[in-house]
Amino acid sequence: MFRHAQLESVKAWVADPAHAALPLHARVQRALRQLILDGAIDVGRPLPASRALARSLAVSRDTVEAAYGQLHAEGFIERRVGSGSFVSERVRRRRTAARRAGPAPLAAALSRRGAALFRDGGVRDFLAPRAFAPGLPETRQFPLQTWERLQRQVLREHGSAALLHSPPQGMEALRQAIADYVNLERGARATPGRVLVLTSSQQALALCASVLLDAGDRIFIEDPAYHGARRAFEAAGLECVPVPVDADGMRVQQLHEAAPARAVFLTPSHQFPTGATLALDRRLAVIEWARRHGAWIIEDDYDSEFHYAGKPTACVQGLDPHERTIYIGTFTKSLFPGLRIGYMLLPPALVEPMTVARTLLDGHSAPVPQLTLARFIEGGHFGAHVRAMRQLYGERRDLLARLVGRHLGGYLQPRVPAGGMQMPCLLTRAIPEARAVDAARRAGIDLLGLGGLYAGEADQSGFLMGFAAHAPDELEAAVRTLAGVLRGLER
């Protein structure tokens, strides 16, 4: 017979707000199915008559009949004319097989690559603009009304066609706008046909790792380096060979002295995380190295728009006459993270292979944001917004440097960058970096530890402190909070 505890369990499952989106008959069916799977109703045992269960649950008999019908269709119960409904013998076989198999350990269920991906922990985005999360732009001053107006124009002009798939390479209007922009502002050698629109720079890195290199291949990478790049390359089975960084960027001479590699990864405009700019002679040297070895240069220009002293240096791609450079850009930093639009500027020979490979990932980027962004760029709104943010971020960078000196001078030494959206600050006391990062997180502050960005033993410890997304009063409050955190770690 159906016991009181079983009936109460069904009532609780049906009334649970987490299941409210399900139709009533589906809630009853799934509650009964769970009791059967758990063994609370044994094989061969009868279920209550539909009329009696309906009365106990205060639902219609049709609701219970629909639930029983689904359980029967799935093989959980048998229905015998004149006798009622009983838990099926098939359930016993399913339970026996499950007991014999035992729980499958997670590691055994994953491929070697899958286990490595899981072990490395992926790349953690800072979802909310808590101080001092790096890489987050100021979104409260984004011209939303302009964006909304342009999006309405797109929908009026394109109608339902804007709801279809985008070409996997990206909408032509946006590829034209991107090519015009990087040619003018970054000194690139771009045409619309060489632009591949993606969802993010992280997707671009994953494509480079899988399309250009094989597992076991060597790739030179800055040390310290952007953790998302290192993890993307390691997940693809590549051997990341660290090359030290100094005040002029990667020590490119070491590429010529080391055993050959298939590629090199650079953040030349603002090295992540040090903020160094790759010197011109080193840019030319890395281009010559790539030509000589038939290697690829992967140039991540993630926040080049924000340069605070003079004009930014021309991108490596624009200096490379040998077509060995893949240029990666993103609008996540310059506009807003939720846009999810990045791009690659490719050598002609790579456009088709990269586009085909992209179709195996997510196929395409949404057309409406692409077309809206194209108009935003063409209308001069993108340039105006970047100029406004460049001034704002420069002021916030200078303020953070002053606040660190005033309130954290005994703990941190700021390294004021010439550009970018975050400032490296070096620990000057023997406070464990990881403990400080954890303590700060508990206090509502997000810090990215510098030590964890090195391939081996860290040359420096400290934090990468984002300043772009935080108003002056927010920066000051956060600095004072961090000072209290660091003082507490010394006690």
Side-chain angles (χ1 to χ4, degrees), residues 224 245-248 270-271 273-277 308 397-398 400-402 404-405 408 411-428 450 454 459-467:
V245 170
D246 60 23
D248 290 325
H270 305 128
Q271 199 278 328
T274 67
T277 298
Y308 309 120
R397 175 202 63 168
D398 296 341
L400 178 59
R402 292 195 300 271
V404 169
L408 293 166
Y411 298 96
L412 296 176
Q413 178 185 355
R415 295 287 178 88
V416 182
M421 304 164 68
Q422 48 270 326
M423 180 184 299
C425 294
L426 307 184
L427 274 166
T428 56
L450 295 175
Y454 284 85
D459 288 346
Q460 299 172 330
S461 63
F463 318 117
L464 197 60
M465 301 175 67
F467 52 79

Side-chain angles (χ1 to χ4, degrees), residues 13-24 27:
W13 211 101
V14 170
D16 190 335
H19 307 141
L22 292 172
L24 185 55
R27 281 182 267 168

Side-chain angles (χ1 to χ4, degrees), residues 258-486:
R262 291 285 306 280
V264 59
F265 171 75
L266 297 167
T267 52
S269 293
H270 305 128
Q271 199 278 328
F272 189 98
T274 67
T277 298
L278 189 66
L280 178 59
D281 61 328
R282 297 188 182 186
R283 293 173 185 244
L284 299 176
V286 77
I287 290 170
E288 175 58 22
W289 171 83
R291 182 200 66 80
R292 184 182 305 171
H293 294 280
W296 298 106
I297 301 169
I298 303 171
E299 177 182 13
D300 187 353
D301 213 26
Y302 64 99
D303 65 357
S304 62
E305 290 85 4
F306 305 118
H307 200 85
Y308 309 120
K311 289 189 69 66
T313 310
C315 64
V316 173
Q317 192 272 351
L319 300 172
D320 178 9
H322 312 298
E323 306 285 10
R324 306 300 306 177
T325 303
I326 296 94
Y327 177 94
I328 298 173
T330 178
F331 294 98
T332 295
K333 305 289 190 294
S334 52
L335 293 180
F336 54 94
L339 182 57
R340 305 310 299 155
I341 293 181
Y343 60 93
M344 285 198 289
L345 179 56
L346 297 163
L350 291 182
V351 172
E352 189 172 0
M354 286 286 193
T355 303
V356 169
R358 189 271 170 90
T359 65
L360 296 173
L361 298 178
D362 59 352
H364 72 108
S365 298
V368 173
Q370 288 188 69
L371 293 168
T372 305
L373 176 56
R375 293 185 180 223
F376 195 76
I377 297 172
E378 293 162 357
H381 309 294
F382 178 70
H385 180 67
V386 166
R387 288 191 294 274
M389 292 302 100
R390 187 183 296 138
Q391 179 176 345
L392 182 70
Y393 296 171
E395 293 169 356
R396 292 180 176 181
R397 175 202 63 168
D398 296 341
L399 174 60
L400 178 59
R402 292 195 300 271
L403 289 170
V404 169
R406 184 183 311 153
H407 300 289
L408 293 166
Y411 298 96
L412 296 176
Q413 178 185 355
R415 295 287 178 88
V416 182
M421 304 164 68
Q422 48 270 326
M423 180 184 299
C425 294
L426 307 184
L427 274 166
T428 56
R429 295 198 187 182
I431 296 175
E433 179 187 288
R435 281 189 60 206
V437 169
D438 288 342
R441 185 176 298 120
R442 291 194 295 272
I445 294 173
D446 285 322
L447 298 171
L448 183 61
L450 295 175
L453 302 177
Y454 284 85
E457 186 173 349
D459 288 346
Q460 299 172 330
S461 63
F463 318 117
L464 197 60
M465 301 175 67
F467 52 79
H470 314 298
D473 59 323
E474 295 167 339
L475 287 173
E476 181 162 7
V479 166
R480 291 178 181 274
T481 299
L482 181 57
V485 168
L486 297 181

Side-chain angles (χ1 to χ4, degrees), residues 118-239:
F118 180 65
R119 184 174 60 251
D120 288 345
V123 179
R124 184 173 75 94
D125 282 326
F126 294 98
L127 301 182
R130 302 200 314 175
F132 296 95
L136 285 177
E138 173 59 82
T139 57
R140 292 168 293 189
Q141 298 192 32
F142 182 77
L144 274 174
Q145 291 181 333
T146 300
W147 185 270
E148 182 183 15
R149 174 172 57 82
L150 295 175
Q151 184 169 278
R152 287 200 304 269
Q153 290 177 7
V154 165
L155 291 171
R156 279 198 303 269
E157 180 175 328
H158 294 271
S160 59
L163 308 181
L164 301 175
H165 287 280
S166 160
Q169 192 176 342
M171 302 298 285
E172 185 176 358
L174 179 56
R175 291 190 284 112
Q176 180 69 64
I178 290 172
D180 291 343
Y181 172 75
V182 294
N183 285 340
L184 177 64
E185 297 293 337
R186 302 296 300 119
R189 298 149 56 96
T191 64
R194 297 174 62 172
V195 175
L196 173 59
V197 177
L198 300 168
T199 55
S200 65
S201 57
Q202 193 66 38
Q203 186 182 47
L205 293 171
L207 278 171
C208 288
S210 59
V211 175
L212 302 180
L213 301 103
D214 291 311
D217 283 347
R218 289 158 51 89
I219 179 171
F220 290 123
I221 186 168
E222 299 163 325
D223 194 32
Y226 171 54
H227 51 295
R230 189 191 305 280
R231 289 176 181 174
F233 299 148
E234 290 177 343
L238 308 184
E239 180 187 351

